[in-house]
Amino acid sequence: NKGSGDPSKTSGQIHSAKGNVVEGVGKMTGSTSWQQSGKQEHAAGEAEIKAAQTQGYAEGTKDRIGGKKDAVLGAVTGDRSQQTQGNIRQEQGQTQQDINRSV
């Protein structure tokens, strides 16, 4: 459920790496404009990675809370299916949080 305007780890990694290459070419050729351009693209890529992590972590939190609510409601009402689905959603949210946790 990611739109084209949402931050992406993959896109951020591509821009970060491209920025490093452009900066390196600028250093080898003595072009300060290429060096600056490369630094800017690298920084933008790193910022996009962080934004994607933050968004993913928030989505994981939402799933964990929603899953916990469903699991408890299912347990209270005796609805095993709802309880199981809630537990699964809660675990998926935890996994998404773990994947997107800042290091």
Side-chain angles (χ1 to χ4, degrees), residues 31-87:
S31 171
T32 56
S33 65
W34 275 59
Q35 289 177 47
Q36 187 60 31
S37 175
K39 285 179 183 179
Q40 289 173 348
E41 185 157 4
H42 173 77
E46 292 298 311
E48 185 172 3
I49 292 167
K50 284 289 184 195
Q53 285 178 316
T54 300
Q55 182 178 15
Y57 190 87
E59 289 169 1
T61 300
K62 179 181 162 193
D63 283 343
R64 277 187 65 201
I65 292 169
K68 181 69 171 179
K69 175 190 69 74
D70 288 346
V72 169
L73 186 59
V76 168
T77 62
D79 185 341
R80 295 274 184 224
S81 177
Q82 183 178 16
Q83 184 178 3
T84 300
Q85 289 300 316
N87 286 332

